Amino acid sequence: MGNKRVVIALGGNALGKDIEEQKIAVSKTAKVIVDLVIQGLDIVITHGNGPQIGMIQDAMDNLVVRYHIYKQVPLPSSIAMSQGYIGIDLQNAIKYELYSRGIDKKVSTILSQVEVDKDDPAFHHPTKPIGRFMTKEEAEQNEAHGIPCMEDAGRGYRIVVASPMPKRICELLTIKTLLNAGHIVIACGGGGMPVVNENGRLVGVNAVVDKDNVSCLLAQNLDAEQLVILTAVEHAALNFGKENQVWLSDISIEDAKRYVAEGHFAPGSMLPKVEASIRFAESKPGRRSLITLLDKASDGLAGKTGTVIQG
């Protein structure tokens, strides 16, 4: 293996909330990615799709209500749609940034399926927030119609679906082949399209795989040296949002586990990022996880900022 391999998980702030915002956001994101390419890193990019999947699913639901000739579009199909349009915008923005700097490097987007266990207990306890933020009243109306909702880290209420753990990335060999050929690869968008294996046939299931969990699995499978989770804050924190808030810098795996057990990180927000970071850091000696802002990615990789978890 030549250059250092890094898996970069992009949060929603790297993508925007709608198509117009996305065009602007991915242009900025592309500059950060190409800055890292110049440093000699081999990069695989994953990304979330919370607002986008909500937008697509709402549109598809409204289509069925308005035109009875159409049937309900399942969530996995909407996830695949989000992978396609987010991926192509991100891919084209990175390609243009490379072109602008005179760098000859390929960029590829892979629509990715992620196998989960049909007996995963997560299917009985939906926890993954998706879609737009709602008021408490809107959430209560949804609950009355059997649609589970939850409050999401003080930002409002959102619909929640099951979030099973990823077991296998179905397109892993394709991702490896493109990475080995020198491509920047965009994969496992929105956590990947969740599927179960029914005697060799992959069947989509109504769930969302957490993108940080699948990024951890992907980084392990690619034998990456670093997992970088880019989010809306420069550091993870203890007592986030409280008077006694403490930003975290370099922490050990053991300390990170203790902070998780003490309940410092919000479920559906920072908690999965820290848990995924721990799993990657402890999966092999020398592996390192970084949580920081998009704009601080380069400084974070240089050890100047962010929350770093390592053995």
Side-chain angles (χ1 to χ4, degrees), residues 12-236:
N13 59 323
L15 302 172
K17 296 183 180 67
D18 55 41
I19 290 176
E20 288 187 5
E21 279 192 19
Q22 183 168 296
K23 296 285 188 185
I24 298 168
V26 295
S27 177
K28 176 182 174 183
T29 300
K31 296 181 189 305
V32 174
I33 297 299
V34 176
D35 284 345
L36 299 179
V37 169
I38 290 172
Q39 295 179 26
L41 301 176
D42 288 337
I43 295 172
V44 177
I45 301 166
T46 67
H47 61 79
N49 69 344
Q52 294 84 1
I53 190 64
M55 178 182 70
I56 293 171
Q57 199 67 47
D58 282 349
M60 293 300 166
D61 290 347
N62 289 331
L63 182 70
V64 173
V65 171
R66 187 170 180 182
Y67 301 102
H68 299 297
I69 60 170
Y70 295 105
K71 294 183 179 180
Q72 186 70 39
V73 173
L75 182 57
S77 297
S78 294
I79 292 171
M81 293 180 203
S82 75
Q83 285 189 24
Y85 96 82
I86 294 171
I88 203 66
D89 275 357
L90 188 55
Q91 174 179 309
N92 285 342
I94 295 170
K95 280 184 174 180
Y96 180 72
E97 187 64 26
L98 290 165
Y99 169 80
S100 298
R101 302 196 201 183
I103 301 170
D104 182 17
K105 194 171 182 68
K106 308 301 181 185
V107 189
S108 298
T109 300
I110 303 300
L111 297 187
S112 311
Q113 300 174 97
V114 174
E115 188 177 332
V116 301
D117 184 347
K118 67 179 191 292
D119 296 320
D120 192 307
F123 285 110
H124 301 292
H125 304 283
T127 58
K128 181 65 177 175
I130 65 167
R132 67 179 180 88
F133 288 96
M134 301 175 288
T135 64
K136 185 177 181 180
E137 291 72 25
E138 287 176 303
E140 288 173 346
Q141 288 176 7
N142 275 330
E143 291 275 3
H145 290 90
I147 303 172
C149 298
M150 68 174 283
E151 197 275 333
D152 184 4
R155 298 176 293 178
Y157 290 79
R158 298 169 81 185
I159 291 171
V160 288
V161 297
S163 184
M165 288 297 291
K167 298 297 182 185
R168 183 176 71 91
I169 297 164
C170 301
E171 286 74 26
L172 180 63
L173 181 57
T174 303
I175 296 167
K176 282 184 175 179
T177 300
L178 288 167
L179 185 61
N180 289 337
H183 290 228
I184 298 169
V185 184
I186 302 163
C188 297
M193 178 178 157
V195 297
V196 294
N197 190 325
E198 295 185 355
N199 298 316
R201 183 167 174 258
L202 298 178
V203 179
V205 291
N206 190 53
V208 171
V209 178
D210 186 273
K211 73 104 171 43
D212 299 312
N213 287 337
V214 81
S215 299
C216 172
L217 179 62
L218 180 60
Q220 291 179 59
N221 289 168
L222 294 175
D223 198 22
E225 295 177 63
Q226 295 202 56
L227 170 63
V228 180
I229 298 177
L230 301 179
T231 186
V233 291
E234 190 168 344
H235 301 261

